[in-house]
Amino acid sequence: MALRFESLDSDIAGRCGKLVAGTTSIKTPALLPVINPHLQLITPADMKMMGIDAIITNAYIFSRSMQYRERALTEGLHRLLGFDGLIMTDSGSFQLSVYGKIPLSNTETLSFQRDIQSDIWVPLDIPTPPSADRATAERDLAITMERLHEAKRTFGDDAPIAAPVQGGRYTDLRERAGREIGEMGFLFCPIGAVVPLMEGYRYRELVDVVMAAKRTLPSAACVHLFGAGHPAMFALATAMGCDLFDSAAYALYAKEGRYLTTHGSYKADKLTNLPCACQVCRTHTAGELCTSGERERLLALHNLYVTVAEIARIRQAIVDGTLWELVDDRCRGHPQLLSGYLELLQHAERLETHDRVAKRRFFYRGAESCQRTEVIRYQEQLRRLRLGSRVLVAFDSKMRQGFNDLLLFKPPFGPYPRELQETFPIGQTEVPDWDEAMVRQGCRGIRALIDSHPASTVVVACSARWLPVVRSELHGVDVCE
Ligand code: GUN
Ligand code: ZN
């Protein structure tokens, strides 16, 4: 019965893993499309055929539905929805946050989720909006935590219960929530109440809130980003260590006549071409898509295809170790996503502790690449080099007389011995023509080398082109041409 999560591959803090709930297991990262039993634009059976093996639905809707309540209790959700994959249910928390009150207690919603045979149950947490003041956020969090304790007491350690991390916009409260939830032994941890941040394109704050929760949650916990549905932000969220997304976006955007892409959405009736390889876009023209009697369903299908394809691309990027490049691509699609990306880079030192040892490649994409985890790690590891008393760092790779060791120079990393030239990251890094940012960052590598080898004298030989930059970075160091 209990939930289990296993990480198989990783990149930055992102993981490709396996989530097991009862007898079902799914690959992560995964997208759980939101199903509303009353509005099935795309049926769960259609989703299964698209390769989707997990969905999420709202237990509160079933509990209030004249049409479905009894059937859900007698048949169970899987038979009722015609879906044999993983079905997660949300409680009425979202309704709670919109209507203020719902006629169902925490234990009642969890019992109901158990009785309709949901694979993952969510307690009645309190989603504190980012606008809430600190006192409210603390009060709400105390209630959520008490309900998690109550859930454990009532249903036991093996019940497949999710433990939402709340705390509003207060990062210390998110840290506290993550720590307590980890100590209680929960291994499935959604990060809650982030929908207003995503709807408002407040990605910088999103990064801070998610990174705060991730700092204290056990790394073995499967982390679900509640309500994240736009494919443009999946790579960013995955890089932070989010494993699951759930989304009504495919349907909500379709309802508004919007066509999703990984770099933003279009009004479908403004499109003259359909820039996508999915079945809908290859069998309809832009005009047909908009005038079809099935417009909403076709748009929803396209939106879902795009979303699922992005998840597959992210999984592949994790296997290859190219997630930073994908994050860089995606976050240039919107200025606020770029802010989120720049904020993520501010957390690179922490991300470095999760990052993997070797990757397929490192493509330099401008100054942002200088702050990547691989650069931080490389420069930190320079202390391990064993060096003689006189060391030459030569940009042109040529030894001069009077030195014990020759180190070559590869920006943005810095100095390296020839023996490392085939190993990651030196050997797999492609840089365009050198720019000032990468040379300056490489000089920080030289500085790290000097600081960690006080018994060695380091001399730098660089070309005339870079002499002023190198001198300005390396005050007090012997820099010659
Ligand atoms: N859906 C989106 N955000 C939330 C949240 O914070 N809690 C729950 N239970 N569901 C959500
Ligand atoms: Zn398409």
Side-chain angles (χ1 to χ4, degrees):
M1 193 66 157
L3 299 169
R4 278 194 297 121
F5 177 67
E6 206 179 315
S7 168
L8 304 169
D9 267 307
S10 64
D11 191 14
I12 321 180
R15 300 84 78 88
C16 274
K18 188 168 89 167
L19 174 68
V20 184
T23 55
T24 348
S25 111
I26 63 164
K27 281 190 190 177
T28 67
L31 169 91
L32 284 60
V34 175
I35 301 288
N36 180 339
H38 296 291
L39 311 164
Q40 291 191 34
L41 263 185
I42 304 175
T43 66
D46 288 341
M47 290 182 181
K48 192 78 197 185
M49 283 196 292
M50 296 170 72
I52 290 168
D53 47 18
I55 58 177
I56 181 167
T57 189
N58 195 314
Y60 182 71
I61 296 179
F62 282 91
S63 76
R64 308 296 293 170
S65 167
M66 301 280 276
Q67 193 181 350
Y68 292 118
R69 180 185 164 89
E70 289 312 315
R71 278 187 63 199
L73 286 167
T74 52
E75 292 174 26
L77 279 181
H78 295 80
R79 246 183 77 199
L80 171 55
L81 291 173
F83 188 79
D84 62 4
L86 187 154
I87 305 181
M88 174 173 174
T89 41
D90 199 352
S91 55
S93 292
F94 181 67
Q95 281 72 17
L96 185 76
S97 69
V98 177
Y99 306 117
K101 219 173 157 69
I102 61 161
L104 210 58
S105 73
N106 184 42
T107 301
E108 281 166 346
T109 177
L110 287 169
S111 303
F112 182 74
Q113 292 175 67
R114 175 195 61 203
D115 295 343
I116 61 177
Q117 296 168 41
S118 165
D119 295 309
I120 301 178
W121 322 336
V122 177
L124 203 60
D125 58 321
I126 303 203
T128 308
S131 55
D133 63 24
R134 191 177 170 92
T136 308
E138 292 217 38
R139 216 164 39 233
D140 287 354
L141 181 59
I143 298 171
T144 296
M145 296 311 297
E146 173 42 37
R147 289 180 181 171
L148 295 181
H149 281 287
E150 179 184 57
K152 275 250 176 236
R153 282 197 305 272
T154 313
F155 298 91
D157 279 336
D158 277 352
I161 295 177
V165 178
Q166 299 290 351
R169 70 169 187 278
Y170 302 96
T171 50
D172 62 318
L173 296 185
R174 296 277 185 173
E175 282 180 359
R176 188 203 295 169
R179 186 176 307 111
E180 287 182 28
I181 283 167
E183 284 164 4
M184 289 164 75
F186 284 105
L187 285 174
F188 187 96
C189 309
I191 297 177
V194 286
V195 171
L197 296 178
M198 295 186 287
E199 283 178 349
Y201 293 86
R202 293 158 67 181
Y203 293 111
R204 194 175 50 73
E205 291 163 86
L206 178 74
V207 165
D208 287 335
V209 160
V210 172
M211 287 301 295
K214 284 290 298 188
R215 269 199 288 282
T216 51
L217 281 170
S219 57
C222 182
V223 175
H224 173 152
L225 194 61
F226 252 142
H230 200 300
M233 52 106 28
F234 291 169
L236 176 69
T238 302
M240 294 190 275
C242 297
D243 306 294
L244 295 184
F245 308 100
D246 72 84
S247 172
Y250 73 99
L252 297 174
Y253 277 72
K255 199 176 163 63
E256 306 274 306
R258 298 195 76 91
Y259 179 97
L260 283 179
T261 77
T262 49
H263 54 269
S265 67
Y266 295 90
K267 283 297 258 182
D269 57 14
K270 295 280 191 299
L271 285 171
T272 50
N273 297 277
L274 300 178
C276 165
C278 89
Q279 178 230 337
V280 172
C281 298
R282 297 288 51 92
T283 55
H284 297 78
T285 64
E288 285 162 1
L289 180 64
C290 291
T291 52
S292 164
E294 278 201 301
R295 184 181 92 140
E296 192 174 334
R297 178 180 146 78
L298 291 173
L299 272 174
L301 265 177
H302 157 82
N303 288 347
L304 199 51
Y305 273 121
V306 169
T307 306
V308 171
E310 179 67 358
I311 295 284
R313 202 173 283 119
I314 289 170
R315 286 186 195 157
Q316 187 62 41
I318 292 173
V319 172
D320 289 342
T322 55
L323 188 56
W324 271 124
E325 281 84 351
L326 188 62
V327 171
D328 187 277
D329 272 345
R330 293 300 181 253
C331 291
R332 288 173 198 278
H334 191 285
Q336 294 308 326
L337 269 174
L338 186 57
S339 290
Y341 174 33
L342 297 179
E343 186 63 18
L344 183 70
L345 288 166
Q346 295 298 310
H347 293 273
E349 271 185 40
R350 174 158 294 274
L351 295 169
E352 184 274 322
T353 63
H354 296 277
D355 205 13
R356 64 200 252 173
V357 174
K359 308 191 181 196
R360 198 175 114 204
R361 61 171 193 231
F362 178 118
F363 277 0
Y364 182 85
R365 293 163 159 245
E368 287 77 23
S369 300
C370 294
Q371 299 175 59
R372 281 173 53 164
T373 44
E374 299 91 336
V375 179
I376 292 176
R377 179 173 299 168
Y378 182 82
Q379 295 186 345
E380 159 65 24
Q381 290 184 345
L382 280 169
R383 69 173 64 241
R384 299 184 189 173
L385 288 181
R386 288 183 179 227
L387 299 173
S389 61
R390 284 188 54 79
V391 178
L392 175 70
V393 178
F395 282 30
D396 60 4
S397 317
K398 278 210 293 278
M399 191 51 155
R400 278 102 168 142
Q401 280 207 328
F403 294 96
N404 310 95
D405 294 288
L406 169 66
L407 299 177
L408 317 185
F409 183 75
K410 177 113 180 187
F413 300 99
Y416 68 97
R418 209 181 279 282
E419 293 77 5
L420 290 185
Q421 77 185 354
E422 307 283 328
T423 64
F424 189 83
I426 300 299
Q428 289 70 25
T429 296
E430 294 230 18
V431 299
D433 290 343
W434 291 7
D435 64 31
E436 191 172 320
M438 73 167 95
V439 173
R440 284 194 187 276
Q441 186 64 42
C443 288
R444 282 173 213 134
I446 299 176
R447 175 67 72 193
L449 183 86
I450 293 170
D451 289 349
S452 56
H453 294 81
S456 302
T457 301
V458 175
V459 175
V460 180
C462 81
S463 57
R465 160 75 180 87
W466 294 109
L467 204 56
V469 170
V470 174
R471 285 210 165 120
S472 76
E473 277 296 325
L474 295 174
H475 293 290
V477 178
D478 186 357
V479 180
C480 56
E481 239 187 279

